Every structure is written in C-alpha cells, then in structure tokens.
Amino acid sequence: MDDLVIEAKSNMDKTIEALKNNFAKLRSGRANPAMLRGIQCDYYGDKMDISSLSSISMPEPRQLVVKPYSREDIKAIGVAITAANLGINPQIEADCIRLIIPPLTEDVRRDIAKQAKGLAEDAKVAIRNIRRDYLSLIKDDDSMSDDYKERVEEDIQKVVDASNKAVEEALAAKQKEIMTI
C-alpha cells in the first residue's frame, strides 16, 4: 500500500475512534463512566476534567459514584455535572456525588438514537473530506504516472468503503444498545 493510502487510513481510523468516544458519552439507560468524560469544572480558577479531580465508579448498573480526591471540590463537580445537561440530577453527599441514571422512555430512546445517527453522519462527512483532501493531493502531484494515480485512488476508495462500513457497524451496535430496554 502506498504511504498516502496508509496515512489516509490512519486519519479515517482516528475519525472512527472519535465517533466511538462520542457514542460512549450518549446515555443508553445504563450507567457508564464515559458519560462524564469531557465535563470540566472550575478548579481554583482553571477548568479541569472531572476525571482528573475524582474517581468515578459504578456500584450498580444504573448508578455512578463520583468521589473527589478533595472534599472542597464536591460542590464544583456537582455544578459542572448539572451544567453538562445530561438529564441527571447529582445527589451530593458528605464525601461523594451519586448519579442515579433514570430509565429511558421510548421517546427519549428515539431521540438519543437520532443523536447517534447524526454523529455517524458527521463521521462519514469527515471521512469524505479526508478522501477529498488526499485525492486532490494526488491530482496535484505531477511526479506520479496516471496509472499509479488511478491505483492509489482505487486503494483510497477501498479504505473509504471499509471506514464507512465500520461507522455503520458502530452505529448499528449503539442503536441496538440504546433501544434495548
């Protein structure tokens, strides 16, 4: 495989990983510590990830416990979780924060499935943009023969097809997870 094809595949794989990380943040009716990934709270004037300031555990399938390393951070973390608009009210206790994940209604499940589909479409657009960028690089390069350019374009299209298939499989798995009661 050509270096350009390998580089394009690497970029497309990163897009698929980003999609899977975004899928992990979506609610599915079960507790998942990844739901809190990326939520930042105020920490002495700076913004810090909750995962940097606390340990997150899952004692039950529908419950998360956030235990800050310092008791002074409990209120800031609770405010950040509330501001993240997850649809979960944090219950602040003496030394930890409990998040009880409510069961999802059918309408909420459908809305989350639509969000997942939108994320998958964004990933497909990103993959198409990567393809476009690499194809324009190939067309602009005069040092390559026409046969070589055509072969590299075919290889890039194969990588795009495989990446789109991976996106579809990830979407199908996430939608199944969301719609399962």
Side-chain angles (χ1 to χ4, degrees), residues 31 36 54-60 63-68 93 95-100:
L36 302 178
S54 61
S55 67
I56 302 170
S57 61
M58 192 175 84
E60 296 176 16
Q63 184 180 42
L64 289 175
V65 174
V66 180
K67 193 164 190 159
E93 297 177 359
D95 61 344
C96 67
I97 300 170
R98 289 194 190 278
L99 302 170
I100 298 177

Side-chain angles (χ1 to χ4, degrees), residues 76-139:
I77 291 173
V79 168
I81 292 171
T82 303
N85 207 9
L86 297 174
I88 304 167
N89 289 327
Q91 298 173 354
I92 300 174
E93 297 177 359
D95 61 344
C96 67
I97 300 170
R98 289 194 190 278
L99 302 170
I100 298 177
I101 313 299
L104 301 176
T105 64
E106 188 69 26
D107 292 337
V108 173
R109 288 181 190 278
R110 285 195 182 118
D111 288 342
I112 294 173
K114 284 180 188 176
Q115 287 177 359
K117 188 168 184 160
L119 291 172
E121 286 302 317
D122 291 344
K124 286 182 178 180
V125 168
I127 289 169
R128 286 194 299 269
N129 288 339
I130 292 168
R131 177 185 62 189
R132 181 196 66 220
D133 293 343
Y134 281 94
L135 291 180
S136 69
L137 273 175
I138 293 168
K139 288 180 182 175

